[in-house]
């Protein structure tokens, strides 16, 4: 006789239903950005409070490079910091999710993700992005040591002079930016919608990454435009001594949630 426990053990596993992605247009990008702006304007004081972490972190990074005389890592640190953006914005996705459902969406609810049953997956994805960030810094340092390793760096002006006026300096700029672009494309493809997907549907890491990559493959031109839009807005936000990130980061964070809603079928 087969017991109930045996029946459960021998029962076939339920098939995993992969999220389905849609084809979107540039009009969807504009709408997602506008909806992100609306989310920000609904509670700007709360979101500015949350977003202060971005310019503060940027200033700390810049100060550390000066204090420890590691000027060659200043640009890689600031540019690579954007790789962690999708992870750092997880609280903003939660606020947009709650607003979408008509729930209370005060800034305190940004920390509700700590109690989410997907917190392990969220941390795993964050760890993956952190690994990419560290790999990028290591690569940038090795390129610097390879091309300008013998140069004593005493000030940022001396460093910039060597970089901008020597063949090796220009080689470092070209090689470093090309490699940085590869890291950015990899991080973008794997995480453009993966964090909102995990928060919403509680999928595992592999499913989240596969769906994010599938979204990019299904919409290569539109996703390229979105990546350029994000890069352009981040540059604008950095110009006034990183203060603009207080506005840019929360708007982009909320817009990413709405982009996810447009790309992944409910």
């Amino acid at each position: 006789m087969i017991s109930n426990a045996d029946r459960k053990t021998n029962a076939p596993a339920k098939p995993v239903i992969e999220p389905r992605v849609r084809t979107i247009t540039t009009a969807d990008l504009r709408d997602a950005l506008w909806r992100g702006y609306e989310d920000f304007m609904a509670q700007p004081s709360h979101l500015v409070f949350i977003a202060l972490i971005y310019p503060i972190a940027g200033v700390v990074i810049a100060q550390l490079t000066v204090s420890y005389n590691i000027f060659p890592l200043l640009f890689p640190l600031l540019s690579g910091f954007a790789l962690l953006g999708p992870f750092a914005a997880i609280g903003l996705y939660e606020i947009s999710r709650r607003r979408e459902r008509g729930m209370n969406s005060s800034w305190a609810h940004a920390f509700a993700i700590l109690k989410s049953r997907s917190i392990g997956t969220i941390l795993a994805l964050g760890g993956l992005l952190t690994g990419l960030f560290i790999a990028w810094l290591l690569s940038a340092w090795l390129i610097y040591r390879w091309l300008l390793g013998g140069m004593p760096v005493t000030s940022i002006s001396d460093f910039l002079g060597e970089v901008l006026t020597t063949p090796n300096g220009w080689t470092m700029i070209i090689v470093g930016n090309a490699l940085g672009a590869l890291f950015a494309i990899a991080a973008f493809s794997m995480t453009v919608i993966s964090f909102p997907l995990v928060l919403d549907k509680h999928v595992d890491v592999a499913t989240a990454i596969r769906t994010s990559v599938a979204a990019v493959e299904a919409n290569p031109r539109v996703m390229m435009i979105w990546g350029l839009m994000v890069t352009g807005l981040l540059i604008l936000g950095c110009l006034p001594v990183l203060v603009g990130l207080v506005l840019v980061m929360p708007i982009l964070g909320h817009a990413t949630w709405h982009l996810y809603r447009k790309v992944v079928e409910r």
Side-chain angles (χ1 to χ4, degrees), residues 56-66 73-74 77-78 81 133:
I56 290 174
V59 171
V60 170
I61 287 172
Q63 183 61 41
L64 286 174
T65 59
V66 173
L73 286 183
L74 178 58
L77 278 167
L78 291 177
F81 185 58
F133 177 58

Side-chain angles (χ1 to χ4, degrees), residues 9-231:
T9 301
N10 296 327
K14 292 182 178 180
V16 177
I17 301 176
E18 292 281 338
R20 297 178 61 183
V21 300
R22 300 188 184 99
T23 300
I24 60 174
T25 66
T26 53
D28 291 309
L29 300 184
R30 291 192 296 269
D31 186 63
L33 203 57
W34 176 251
R35 289 176 182 269
Y37 172 76
E38 288 181 332
D39 282 352
F40 171 76
M41 292 304 296
Q43 293 174 320
S45 59
H46 296 156
L47 303 183
V48 166
F49 172 78
I50 297 169
L52 283 174
I53 186 175
Y54 300 106
I56 290 174
V59 171
V60 170
I61 287 172
Q63 183 61 41
L64 286 174
T65 59
V66 173
S67 300
Y68 289 94
N69 200 26
I70 50 174
F71 301 110
L73 286 183
L74 178 58
F75 177 74
L77 278 167
L78 291 177
S79 60
F81 185 58
L83 295 178
L84 303 177
F87 179 44
I90 190 71
L92 301 175
Y93 308 148
E94 174 64 10
I95 289 179
S96 285
R97 187 187 72 85
R98 296 180 68 89
R99 286 198 71 238
E100 182 180 84
R101 298 186 177 190
M103 302 166 66
N104 186 354
S105 56
S106 65
W107 67 266
H109 288 97
F111 301 97
I113 53 106
L114 296 175
K115 298 179 180 179
S116 170
R117 63 188 177 98
S118 294
I119 185 62
T121 306
I122 291 170
L123 292 176
L125 277 171
L128 176 62
L129 280 183
T130 302
L132 282 175
F133 177 58
I134 294 173
W136 157 238
L137 290 182
L138 179 60
S139 300
W141 181 255
L142 290 176
I143 291 173
Y144 161 72
R145 293 292 299 173
W146 168 42
L147 293 169
L148 296 176
M151 183 196 75
V153 180
T154 57
S155 68
I156 194 168
S157 59
D158 291 342
F159 173 70
L160 290 177
E162 188 72 16
V163 169
L164 297 175
T165 60
T166 65
N168 279 1
W170 280 103
T171 301
M172 186 181 74
I173 291 174
I174 295 170
V175 174
N177 278 284
L179 186 60
L182 293 178
F183 274 100
I185 291 170
F188 178 82
S189 299
M190 292 189 294
T191 63
V192 63
I193 60 162
S194 57
F195 282 99
L197 176 61
V198 168
L199 188 64
D200 186 41
K201 297 186 182 297
H202 309 293
V203 300
D204 57 31
V205 172
T207 301
I209 292 176
R210 280 198 305 270
T211 305
S212 186
V213 172
V216 174
E217 291 177 342
N219 303 278
R221 185 181 69 87
V222 176
M223 285 299 183
M224 181 184 68
I225 293 173
W226 176 249
L228 292 174
M229 289 171 61
V230 170
T231 302

